[in-house]
């Protein structure tokens, strides 16, 4: 991607022709588009230093890798072995195993000077199984992207997600779910495990705090936000137990989270910052450029390094990176023990939220009934719905570090033209009171 | 100007490359060339303007009963692109002897050729955006302009060669009243059509007035509902997530399993077909099989055909119908009914008009149950008259209800909505549908 900034304008041209004439033509095209933006754009009064600031020093990032073998013949054997070990069972109608590797090298030059040099490695192991029991079908995923279990790193990710033996475990759990009663309907207490908290954080904290949404850029596609510019600094987003951080990878407890980096895709150096502090909204997910646009509307906000692009083919915009909830002090047993009537939910299966990121409805693969402070069997198809602005205020207990997991997904979609990026979310298990819970059709 | 990738360029890249196949090998290439100007607008002003030149290639290598593949994007510089293809072929050759035999390997179709490189000239983006700014003066318009040639191709070392390239342009936009209330519209076609687009913006402006009224909060529960043609098309798009895939049905993943089994049916007014011809989609799929112009999927409320690829046919021992590997309809057409569009609000009487729906997903896939939100200009209607915009509501219902026993009727005018997604390369195809009147639809929140 060649980016050209002029006073009050910025333009982009993506090319895979890296020859000198090819880059020259791309630069000329980007300049023409920058001039178009200068004439008819939203950046009135903003100079080149704001549109494309050049950091004073170069930054570097390497995904932490314990070991990696790029000879993938061993993967073929491993996948075949994993899939082949599933026991014959007429209730299992389908199962699958996959291993995926993606590596990315990124160099950002500004005015001919290398300002960011980053190398990322992503290994994504995944298994799934589908069971049919007495006409009831259930799917269980274990491992990577479908369970939000992605991190950066090498082949050690295969062991981390417990890949070996996971296909049989997915099959056993799918049978157990298909044999379980439907999740009950009613206003109940819920415990969300980290792999569902991940989706909850993503949809009802991450997206609403994206400053470009608040500025209206996404209104034709991904939507707006119930958060407005005047809320930062004072709005009670959640209960005092809720603290949320933008953590691009410096925190030892969350290494090697999926969207960690040294700089964002405009070479802004990244550092950890608090978004919500003890329930109070502090800052948006806004790049320096978006913050400058907000300032023109009279709102002085702090920025984060979140100008991110899905690939060399798309311009950067405000995105989540790693958005994490701080662990609390409650054990999982204490949370379950405090519930008279409720459901524990894990592994997202369905997600939908309104265009202001307020009214949501989420479903999970895995549910466990809680009665009188104890787990009381499985339930299938658990779902819950609520309103973001109220939901986080019903947060009543936050799990301790022993419940904390570092997770991530490669599938966050947004933008025109559309972009899908990786995001990380680390979270403990959390307890919410009095939530509208539902199950599948009987 | 960056280099334009045309048929001659493509042929000079792939033909010499494919000739490198050894006698025991078949090399295949398929993919897209997307050369597009994108301009994002907010408040009728430019937020981002970008040009993208993108050649995306899926390369396959077969040797006996073994098969490997990879994906890559190549340079628009011919020499570099040749080297990239050679490097990837060498990688595939280093792998292929190590993979096990593929027990379900599908056969290639008989070699065939087709080509269409009739590309109209694109308008200068600077002129288009200046015109749009002029038409949208004083409006809070948000949207995306996209224009440029888009090609799809497929070629193999045993003689397939297909290349289809057209100029494709669209302008997808919303004109906002207050907060989240807006009129959503779009135009798509080949050459930029100034007069049409100007009229669409004026039409949107003309519908804004009611959206300035205070929105009303509807009580949760069942409501009579009028779904615009676009809302219906979005629901049909959701049904494509496994609804018509033979593989999805054979692995118990289809939301329309009960329709196929005959356990449930839809309204007798509901007839749905894949319509490649109507949307100008190349019929050749990635193995060189020629898909039918039209395939009836649901006829008068009953399951008619699934889309079955040669791969699924081989794996599950069923008969294929030349579907592509994804087994998802590339273009759909829902047959119109007998309701006059001008009577739609009167027929609704008291209820909810869903101009647009948003963020659809299955809430219980096995039972065909879905959820989503109302959006943009969804309205409360009383006595056949639109009264006020609505606070967004969540619906949670099933295909078997909305398009089944609760479906009162379908409009007699079928509207076409082209695919406007731009993840990866720009999409092609679309969905054509009429509006739908539903007696009772469930809105839980």
């Amino acid at each position: 991607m060649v980016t050209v900034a002029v006073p009050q304008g910025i333009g982009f041209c993506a090319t895979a022709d890296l020859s000198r004439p090819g880059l020259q033509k791309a630069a000329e095209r980007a300049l023409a588009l920058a001039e178009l933006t200068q004439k008819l754009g939203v950046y009135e009064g903003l100079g080149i230093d704001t549109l494309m600031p050049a950091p004073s020093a170069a930054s570097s990032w390497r995904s932490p890798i314990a070991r990696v073998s790029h000879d993938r013949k061993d993967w073929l054997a491993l996948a075949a072995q994993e899939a082949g070990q599933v026991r014959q069972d007429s209730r299992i109608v389908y199962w699958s195993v996959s291993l995926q590797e993606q590596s990315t090298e990124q160099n950002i030059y500004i005015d001919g000077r290398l300002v960011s040099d980053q190398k990322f490695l992503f290994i994504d192991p995944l298994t799934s199984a589908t069971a049919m029991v007495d006409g009831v079908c259930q799917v269980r995923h274990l491992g990577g992207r479908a369970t939000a279990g992605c991190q950066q790193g090498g082949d050690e990710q295969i062991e981390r997600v417990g890949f070996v033996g996971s296909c049989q475990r997915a099959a056993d759990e799918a049978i157990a779910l298909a044999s379980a009663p439907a999740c009950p309907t009613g206003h109940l207490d819920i415990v969300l495990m980290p792999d569902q908290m991940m989706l909850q954080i993503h949809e009802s904290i991450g997206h609403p705090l994206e400053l470009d949404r608040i500025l209206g850029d996404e209104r034709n596609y991904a939507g707006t936000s119930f958060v407005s510019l005047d809320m930062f600094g004072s709005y009670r987003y959640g209960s005092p137990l809720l603290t949320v951080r933008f953590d691009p990878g410096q925190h030892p407890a969350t290494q090697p989270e999926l969207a960690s980096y040294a700089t964002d895709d405009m070479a802004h150096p990244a550092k950890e910052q608090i978004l919500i502090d003890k329930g109070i909204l502090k800052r948006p997910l806004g790049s320096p450029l978006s913050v400058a646009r907000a300032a023109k509307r009279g709102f002085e906000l702090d920025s984060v390094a979140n100008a991110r692009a899905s690939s060399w083919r798309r311009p950067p915009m405000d995105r989540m990176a790693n958005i994490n909830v701080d662990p609390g002090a409650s054990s999982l047993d204490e949370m379950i023990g405090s519930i008279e009537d409720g459901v524990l939910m894990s592994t997202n299966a369905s997600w939908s939220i309104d265009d202001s990121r307020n009214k949501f409805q989420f479903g999970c693969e895995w549910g466990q009934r809680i009665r009188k402070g104890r787990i009381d069997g499985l339930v299938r198809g658990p779902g819950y719905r609520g309103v973001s602005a109220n939901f986080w205020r019903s947060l009543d207990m936050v799990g301790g570090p022993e419940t904390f997991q570092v997770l991530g997904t490669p599938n966050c979609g947004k933008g025109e033209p559309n972009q899908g990026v990786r995001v990380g979310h680390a979270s403990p298990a959390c307890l919410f009171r009095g939530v509208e819970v539902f199950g599948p059709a009987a | 100007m960056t280099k334009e990738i045309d048929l001659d360029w493509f042929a000079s890249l792939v033909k010499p490359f494919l000739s490198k196949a050894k006698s025991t090998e078949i090399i295949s290439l398929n993919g897209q060339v997307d050369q597009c100007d994108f301009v994002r607008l907010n408040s009728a002003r430019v937020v981002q303007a970008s040009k993208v030149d993108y050649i995306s290639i899926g390369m396959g290598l077969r040797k006996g009963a073994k098969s490997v593949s990879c994906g890559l994007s190549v340079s628009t510089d011919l020499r570099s692109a040749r080297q990239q293809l050679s490097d990837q072929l060498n990688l595939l050759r280093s792998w292929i002897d190590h993979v096990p035999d593929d027990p379900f390997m599908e056969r290639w179709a008989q070699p065939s050729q087709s080509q269409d490189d009739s590309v109209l000239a694109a308008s200068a983006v600077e002129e288009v955006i200046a015109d749009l700014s002029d038409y949208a003066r004083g409006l809070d318009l948000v949207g995306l302009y996209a224009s440029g040639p888009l090609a799809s191709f497929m070629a193999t070392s045993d003689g397939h060669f297909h290349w289809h390239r057209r100029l494709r342009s669209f302008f997808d936009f919303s004109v906002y009243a207050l907060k989240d209330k807006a009129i959503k519209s779009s135009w798509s076609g080949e050459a930029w059509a100034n007069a049409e687009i100007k009229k669409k913006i004026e039409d949107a402006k003309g519908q804004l007035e009611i959206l300035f009224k205070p929105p009303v909060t509807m009580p949760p529960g069942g409501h009579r509902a009028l779904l615009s043609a676009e809302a219906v098309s979005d629901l049909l798009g959701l049904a494509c997530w496994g609804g018509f895939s033979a593989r999805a049905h054979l692995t118990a993943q289809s939301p329309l399993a009960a329709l196929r089994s005959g356990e449930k049916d839809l309204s007798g007014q509901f007839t749905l077909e894949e319509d490649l011809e109507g949307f100008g989609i190349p019929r050749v799929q990635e193995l060189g099989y020629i898909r039918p112009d039209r395939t009836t999927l649901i006829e008068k409320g009953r399951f008619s055909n699934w889309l079955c690829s040669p791969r699924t046919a081989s794996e599950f021992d069923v008969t294929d119908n030349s579907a592509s590997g994804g087994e998802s309809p590339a273009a759909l057409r829902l047959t119109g009914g007998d309701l006059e569009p001008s009577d739609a609000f009167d027929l609704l009487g008291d209820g909810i008009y869903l101009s647009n729906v948003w963020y659809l997903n299955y809430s219980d896939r096995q039972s065909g149950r879905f959820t989503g939100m109302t959006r943009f200009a969804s309205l409360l209607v009383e006595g056949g008259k639109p009264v006020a915009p609505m606070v967004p509501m969540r619906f949670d219902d099933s295909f078997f209800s909305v398009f089944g026993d609760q479906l009162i009727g379908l409009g007699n005018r079928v509207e076409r909505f082209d695919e406007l997604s731009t993840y990866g390369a720009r999409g092609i195809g679309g969905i054509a549908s009429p509006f739908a009147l539903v007696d009772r639809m469930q809105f839980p929140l």
Side-chain angles (χ1 to χ4, degrees), chain A residues 14 41 43 130 135 220-221 350 352 359 361 418, chain B residues 45 47 51 174 253 359 362 366 375 392 396 422:
Chain A
Y43 303 110
T130 304
N220 187 56
Y221 179 58
S350 172
S352 174
K359 287 185 179 177
Q361 177 170 312
N418 305 145
Chain B
R45 298 193 68 82
V47 177
K51 169 73 194 288
S174 320
Q253 316 264 345
Y359 221 130
Y362 293 118
Q366 192 183 5
R375 194 174 175 186
D396 192 312
T422 49

PDB file of all heavy atoms in Angstrom, chain A residues 14 41 43 130 135 220-221 350 352 359 361 418, chain B residues 45 47 51 174 253 359 362 366 375 392 396 422:
ATOM      1  N   ALA A  14      -3.051   0.525  -3.584  1.00  0.00           N
ATOM      2  CA  ALA A  14      -2.512  -0.803  -3.271  1.00  0.00           C
ATOM      3  C   ALA A  14      -2.056  -1.465  -4.553  1.00  0.00           C
ATOM      4  O   ALA A  14      -2.821  -1.573  -5.513  1.00  0.00           O
ATOM      5  CB  ALA A  14      -3.579  -1.654  -2.604  1.00  0.00           C
ATOM      6  N   GLY A  41     -12.706  16.390   1.123  1.00  0.00           N
ATOM      7  CA  GLY A  41     -12.669  15.462   2.243  1.00  0.00           C
ATOM      8  C   GLY A  41     -13.033  16.055   3.584  1.00  0.00           C
ATOM      9  O   GLY A  41     -13.462  17.210   3.684  1.00  0.00           O
ATOM     10  N   TYR A  43     -10.917  16.340   6.190  1.00  0.00           N
ATOM     11  CA  TYR A  43      -9.711  16.631   6.971  1.00  0.00           C
ATOM     12  C   TYR A  43      -9.324  18.111   6.970  1.00  0.00           C
ATOM     13  O   TYR A  43      -8.147  18.448   7.125  1.00  0.00           O
ATOM     14  CB  TYR A  43      -8.549  15.770   6.461  1.00  0.00           C
ATOM     15  CG  TYR A  43      -8.866  14.298   6.509  1.00  0.00           C
ATOM     16  CD1 TYR A  43      -9.065  13.565   5.340  1.00  0.00           C
ATOM     17  CD2 TYR A  43      -9.001  13.652   7.733  1.00  0.00           C
ATOM     18  CE1 TYR A  43      -9.375  12.218   5.393  1.00  0.00           C
ATOM     19  CE2 TYR A  43      -9.322  12.303   7.792  1.00  0.00           C
ATOM     20  CZ  TYR A  43      -9.504  11.593   6.619  1.00  0.00           C
ATOM     21  OH  TYR A  43      -9.815  10.263   6.676  1.00  0.00           O
ATOM     22  N   THR A 130     -20.019 -33.280  14.742  1.00  0.00           N
ATOM     23  CA  THR A 130     -21.463 -33.095  14.735  1.00  0.00           C
ATOM     24  C   THR A 130     -22.126 -34.403  15.152  1.00  0.00           C
ATOM     25  O   THR A 130     -21.799 -35.460  14.598  1.00  0.00           O
ATOM     26  CB  THR A 130     -21.953 -32.708  13.330  1.00  0.00           C
ATOM     27  OG1 THR A 130     -21.244 -31.547  12.902  1.00  0.00           O
ATOM     28  CG2 THR A 130     -23.453 -32.433  13.325  1.00  0.00           C
ATOM     29  N   GLY A 135     -32.819 -37.347  16.684  1.00  0.00           N
ATOM     30  CA  GLY A 135     -33.289 -36.218  15.883  1.00  0.00           C
ATOM     31  C   GLY A 135     -32.767 -34.868  16.317  1.00  0.00           C
ATOM     32  O   GLY A 135     -33.080 -33.853  15.696  1.00  0.00           O
ATOM     33  N   ASN A 220     -23.107   3.616   7.057  1.00  0.00           N
ATOM     34  CA  ASN A 220     -23.716   2.937   5.909  1.00  0.00           C
ATOM     35  C   ASN A 220     -23.528   1.436   5.961  1.00  0.00           C
ATOM     36  O   ASN A 220     -24.174   0.700   5.230  1.00  0.00           O
ATOM     37  CB  ASN A 220     -23.124   3.484   4.606  1.00  0.00           C
ATOM     38  CG  ASN A 220     -23.816   2.943   3.387  1.00  0.00           C
ATOM     39  OD1 ASN A 220     -25.042   3.084   3.263  1.00  0.00           O
ATOM     40  ND2 ASN A 220     -23.081   2.315   2.491  1.00  0.00           N
ATOM     41  N   TYR A 221     -22.626   0.958   6.814  1.00  0.00           N
ATOM     42  CA  TYR A 221     -22.353  -0.482   6.847  1.00  0.00           C
ATOM     43  C   TYR A 221     -22.413  -1.023   8.274  1.00  0.00           C
ATOM     44  O   TYR A 221     -23.456  -1.466   8.729  1.00  0.00           O
ATOM     45  CB  TYR A 221     -21.001  -0.777   6.184  1.00  0.00           C
ATOM     46  CG  TYR A 221     -20.627  -2.241   6.205  1.00  0.00           C
ATOM     47  CD1 TYR A 221     -21.466  -3.184   5.619  1.00  0.00           C
ATOM     48  CD2 TYR A 221     -19.463  -2.683   6.820  1.00  0.00           C
ATOM     49  CE1 TYR A 221     -21.144  -4.530   5.662  1.00  0.00           C
ATOM     50  CE2 TYR A 221     -19.132  -4.020   6.852  1.00  0.00           C
ATOM     51  CZ  TYR A 221     -19.973  -4.942   6.283  1.00  0.00           C
ATOM     52  OH  TYR A 221     -19.661  -6.278   6.328  1.00  0.00           O
ATOM     53  N   SER A 350     -23.544 -18.207  18.108  1.00  0.00           N
ATOM     54  CA  SER A 350     -24.414 -17.306  17.350  1.00  0.00           C
ATOM     55  C   SER A 350     -24.256 -15.905  17.916  1.00  0.00           C
ATOM     56  O   SER A 350     -24.157 -15.736  19.134  1.00  0.00           O
ATOM     57  CB  SER A 350     -25.871 -17.765  17.478  1.00  0.00           C
ATOM     58  OG  SER A 350     -26.745 -16.820  16.915  1.00  0.00           O
ATOM     59  N   SER A 352     -25.404 -11.591  17.274  1.00  0.00           N
ATOM     60  CA  SER A 352     -26.150 -10.563  16.546  1.00  0.00           C
ATOM     61  C   SER A 352     -26.342  -9.388  17.481  1.00  0.00           C
ATOM     62  O   SER A 352     -26.653  -9.568  18.663  1.00  0.00           O
ATOM     63  CB  SER A 352     -27.516 -11.114  16.104  1.00  0.00           C
ATOM     64  OG  SER A 352     -28.299 -10.102  15.520  1.00  0.00           O
ATOM     65  N   LYS A 359     -28.622  -3.534  21.562  1.00  0.00           N
ATOM     66  CA  LYS A 359     -29.422  -4.749  21.782  1.00  0.00           C
ATOM     67  C   LYS A 359     -28.709  -5.946  21.158  1.00  0.00           C
ATOM     68  O   LYS A 359     -28.517  -5.993  19.944  1.00  0.00           O
ATOM     69  CB  LYS A 359     -30.789  -4.601  21.125  1.00  0.00           C
ATOM     70  CG  LYS A 359     -31.726  -3.652  21.840  1.00  0.00           C
ATOM     71  CD  LYS A 359     -33.095  -3.651  21.187  1.00  0.00           C
ATOM     72  CE  LYS A 359     -34.041  -2.719  21.923  1.00  0.00           C
ATOM     73  NZ  LYS A 359     -35.365  -2.639  21.269  1.00  0.00           N
ATOM     74  N   GLN A 361     -28.005 -10.389  21.026  1.00  0.00           N
ATOM     75  CA  GLN A 361     -28.466 -11.751  21.310  1.00  0.00           C
ATOM     76  C   GLN A 361     -27.340 -12.697  20.925  1.00  0.00           C
ATOM     77  O   GLN A 361     -26.903 -12.701  19.779  1.00  0.00           O
ATOM     78  CB  GLN A 361     -29.729 -12.089  20.527  1.00  0.00           C
ATOM     79  CG  GLN A 361     -30.194 -13.532  20.744  1.00  0.00           C
ATOM     80  CD  GLN A 361     -31.567 -13.801  20.159  1.00  0.00           C
ATOM     81  OE1 GLN A 361     -32.494 -13.028  20.372  1.00  0.00           O
ATOM     82  NE2 GLN A 361     -31.692 -14.881  19.414  1.00  0.00           N
ATOM     83  N   ASN A 418     -14.802  -3.661   2.631  1.00  0.00           N
ATOM     84  CA  ASN A 418     -14.816  -4.527   3.806  1.00  0.00           C
ATOM     85  C   ASN A 418     -13.416  -4.996   4.184  1.00  0.00           C
ATOM     86  O   ASN A 418     -12.575  -5.242   3.319  1.00  0.00           O
ATOM     87  CB  ASN A 418     -15.673  -5.767   3.551  1.00  0.00           C
ATOM     88  CG  ASN A 418     -17.087  -5.430   3.111  1.00  0.00           C
ATOM     89  OD1 ASN A 418     -17.664  -6.145   2.311  1.00  0.00           O
ATOM     90  ND2 ASN A 418     -17.651  -4.351   3.615  1.00  0.00           N
TER      91      ASN A 418
ATOM     92  N   ARG B  45     -18.760  13.916   2.332  1.00  0.00           N
ATOM     93  CA  ARG B  45     -17.369  14.299   2.097  1.00  0.00           C
ATOM     94  C   ARG B  45     -16.476  13.058   2.173  1.00  0.00           C
ATOM     95  O   ARG B  45     -16.820  12.071   2.819  1.00  0.00           O
ATOM     96  CB  ARG B  45     -16.922  15.358   3.099  1.00  0.00           C
ATOM     97  CG  ARG B  45     -17.734  16.655   2.988  1.00  0.00           C
ATOM     98  CD  ARG B  45     -17.117  17.796   3.748  1.00  0.00           C
ATOM     99  NE  ARG B  45     -15.857  18.272   3.200  1.00  0.00           N
ATOM    100  CZ  ARG B  45     -15.745  19.117   2.178  1.00  0.00           C
ATOM    101  NH1 ARG B  45     -16.823  19.573   1.558  1.00  0.00           N
ATOM    102  NH2 ARG B  45     -14.557  19.515   1.758  1.00  0.00           N
ATOM    103  N   VAL B  47     -13.873  10.411   3.154  1.00  0.00           N
ATOM    104  CA  VAL B  47     -13.102   9.948   4.317  1.00  0.00           C
ATOM    105  C   VAL B  47     -11.851   9.214   3.843  1.00  0.00           C
ATOM    106  O   VAL B  47     -10.754   9.446   4.339  1.00  0.00           O
ATOM    107  CB  VAL B  47     -13.949   9.016   5.198  1.00  0.00           C
ATOM    108  CG1 VAL B  47     -13.114   8.480   6.357  1.00  0.00           C
ATOM    109  CG2 VAL B  47     -15.167   9.732   5.716  1.00  0.00           C
ATOM    110  N   LYS B  51      -7.146   3.134  -4.384  1.00  0.00           N
ATOM    111  CA  LYS B  51      -7.140   2.340  -5.609  1.00  0.00           C
ATOM    112  C   LYS B  51      -6.502   1.000  -5.261  1.00  0.00           C
ATOM    113  O   LYS B  51      -5.497   0.963  -4.544  1.00  0.00           O
ATOM    114  CB  LYS B  51      -6.313   3.043  -6.689  1.00  0.00           C
ATOM    115  CG  LYS B  51      -6.002   2.200  -7.926  1.00  0.00           C
ATOM    116  CD  LYS B  51      -7.242   2.011  -8.792  1.00  0.00           C
ATOM    117  CE  LYS B  51      -7.062   0.909  -9.850  1.00  0.00           C
ATOM    118  NZ  LYS B  51      -6.180   1.276 -10.924  1.00  0.00           N
ATOM    119  N   SER B 174     -26.444   5.790   2.308  1.00  0.00           N
ATOM    120  CA  SER B 174     -27.550   6.078   3.224  1.00  0.00           C
ATOM    121  C   SER B 174     -27.627   7.593   3.371  1.00  0.00           C
ATOM    122  O   SER B 174     -26.592   8.254   3.463  1.00  0.00           O
ATOM    123  CB  SER B 174     -27.298   5.505   4.617  1.00  0.00           C
ATOM    124  OG  SER B 174     -26.702   4.243   4.543  1.00  0.00           O
ATOM    125  N   GLN B 253     -26.185 -30.166   9.002  1.00  0.00           N
ATOM    126  CA  GLN B 253     -25.880 -28.772   9.341  1.00  0.00           C
ATOM    127  C   GLN B 253     -26.852 -27.790   8.684  1.00  0.00           C
ATOM    128  O   GLN B 253     -26.646 -26.579   8.774  1.00  0.00           O
ATOM    129  CB  GLN B 253     -24.482 -28.402   8.851  1.00  0.00           C
ATOM    130  CG  GLN B 253     -23.414 -29.413   9.118  1.00  0.00           C
ATOM    131  CD  GLN B 253     -22.634 -29.126  10.382  1.00  0.00           C
ATOM    132  OE1 GLN B 253     -22.712 -28.035  10.904  1.00  0.00           O
ATOM    133  NE2 GLN B 253     -21.923 -30.099  10.877  1.00  0.00           N
ATOM    134  N   TYR B 359     -27.622  -7.715  10.776  1.00  0.00           N
ATOM    135  CA  TYR B 359     -26.877  -8.654  11.608  1.00  0.00           C
ATOM    136  C   TYR B 359     -27.661  -9.941  11.831  1.00  0.00           C
ATOM    137  O   TYR B 359     -27.952 -10.339  12.962  1.00  0.00           O
ATOM    138  CB  TYR B 359     -26.493  -8.023  12.950  1.00  0.00           C
ATOM    139  CG  TYR B 359     -25.082  -8.361  13.396  1.00  0.00           C
ATOM    140  CD1 TYR B 359     -24.203  -7.376  13.794  1.00  0.00           C
ATOM    141  CD2 TYR B 359     -24.634  -9.677  13.401  1.00  0.00           C
ATOM    142  CE1 TYR B 359     -22.907  -7.671  14.184  1.00  0.00           C
ATOM    143  CE2 TYR B 359     -23.353  -9.982  13.782  1.00  0.00           C
ATOM    144  CZ  TYR B 359     -22.486  -8.979  14.179  1.00  0.00           C
ATOM    145  OH  TYR B 359     -21.204  -9.287  14.563  1.00  0.00           O
ATOM    146  N   TYR B 362     -28.263 -17.367  12.761  1.00  0.00           N
ATOM    147  CA  TYR B 362     -29.169 -18.399  13.258  1.00  0.00           C
ATOM    148  C   TYR B 362     -29.187 -18.379  14.774  1.00  0.00           C
ATOM    149  O   TYR B 362     -28.135 -18.315  15.415  1.00  0.00           O
ATOM    150  CB  TYR B 362     -28.720 -19.785  12.779  1.00  0.00           C
ATOM    151  CG  TYR B 362     -28.854 -19.957  11.289  1.00  0.00           C
ATOM    152  CD1 TYR B 362     -27.750 -20.207  10.489  1.00  0.00           C
ATOM    153  CD2 TYR B 362     -30.104 -19.849  10.675  1.00  0.00           C
ATOM    154  CE1 TYR B 362     -27.874 -20.337   9.120  1.00  0.00           C
ATOM    155  CE2 TYR B 362     -30.231 -19.985   9.307  1.00  0.00           C
ATOM    156  CZ  TYR B 362     -29.123 -20.229   8.536  1.00  0.00           C
ATOM    157  OH  TYR B 362     -29.255 -20.357   7.184  1.00  0.00           O
ATOM    158  N   GLN B 366     -30.840 -25.774  13.565  1.00  0.00           N
ATOM    159  CA  GLN B 366     -31.540 -27.004  13.204  1.00  0.00           C
ATOM    160  C   GLN B 366     -33.023 -26.767  12.937  1.00  0.00           C
ATOM    161  O   GLN B 366     -33.622 -27.450  12.111  1.00  0.00           O
ATOM    162  CB  GLN B 366     -31.375 -28.054  14.309  1.00  0.00           C
ATOM    163  CG  GLN B 366     -31.837 -29.425  13.839  1.00  0.00           C
ATOM    164  CD  GLN B 366     -31.764 -30.463  14.936  1.00  0.00           C
ATOM    165  OE1 GLN B 366     -31.454 -30.172  16.088  1.00  0.00           O
ATOM    166  NE2 GLN B 366     -32.040 -31.701  14.568  1.00  0.00           N
ATOM    167  N   ARG B 375     -33.543  -1.969  11.078  1.00  0.00           N
ATOM    168  CA  ARG B 375     -32.537  -0.915  10.886  1.00  0.00           C
ATOM    169  C   ARG B 375     -33.066   0.171   9.939  1.00  0.00           C
ATOM    170  O   ARG B 375     -34.075  -0.041   9.243  1.00  0.00           O
ATOM    171  CB  ARG B 375     -31.244  -1.523  10.336  1.00  0.00           C
ATOM    172  CG  ARG B 375     -30.067  -0.568  10.436  1.00  0.00           C
ATOM    173  CD  ARG B 375     -28.740  -1.177  10.042  1.00  0.00           C
ATOM    174  NE  ARG B 375     -27.704  -0.150  10.069  1.00  0.00           N
ATOM    175  CZ  ARG B 375     -26.460  -0.311   9.667  1.00  0.00           C
ATOM    176  NH1 ARG B 375     -26.073  -1.488   9.221  1.00  0.00           N
ATOM    177  NH2 ARG B 375     -25.587   0.674   9.714  1.00  0.00           N
ATOM    178  N   PRO B 392     -34.919   0.485  17.252  1.00  0.00           N
ATOM    179  CA  PRO B 392     -34.603  -0.829  16.666  1.00  0.00           C
ATOM    180  C   PRO B 392     -35.119  -1.986  17.524  1.00  0.00           C
ATOM    181  O   PRO B 392     -35.011  -1.953  18.752  1.00  0.00           O
ATOM    182  CB  PRO B 392     -33.075  -0.823  16.599  1.00  0.00           C
ATOM    183  CG  PRO B 392     -32.707   0.613  16.498  1.00  0.00           C
ATOM    184  CD  PRO B 392     -33.727   1.342  17.345  1.00  0.00           C
ATOM    185  N   ASP B 396     -36.838 -12.687  16.308  1.00  0.00           N
ATOM    186  CA  ASP B 396     -36.334 -14.056  16.453  1.00  0.00           C
ATOM    187  C   ASP B 396     -37.458 -14.965  16.009  1.00  0.00           C
ATOM    188  O   ASP B 396     -38.465 -15.115  16.708  1.00  0.00           O
ATOM    189  CB  ASP B 396     -35.916 -14.325  17.902  1.00  0.00           C
ATOM    190  CG  ASP B 396     -35.125 -15.626  18.019  1.00  0.00           C
ATOM    191  OD1 ASP B 396     -35.578 -16.651  17.465  1.00  0.00           O
ATOM    192  OD2 ASP B 396     -34.063 -15.619  18.660  1.00  0.00           O
ATOM    193  N   THR B 422     -17.270  -6.621  -0.270  1.00  0.00           N
ATOM    194  CA  THR B 422     -15.932  -6.344  -0.784  1.00  0.00           C
ATOM    195  C   THR B 422     -14.836  -6.958   0.097  1.00  0.00           C
ATOM    196  O   THR B 422     -13.711  -6.482   0.092  1.00  0.00           O
ATOM    197  CB  THR B 422     -15.717  -4.816  -0.903  1.00  0.00           C
ATOM    198  OG1 THR B 422     -16.126  -4.203   0.326  1.00  0.00           O
ATOM    199  CG2 THR B 422     -16.524  -4.222  -2.025  1.00  0.00           C
TER     200      THR B 422
END
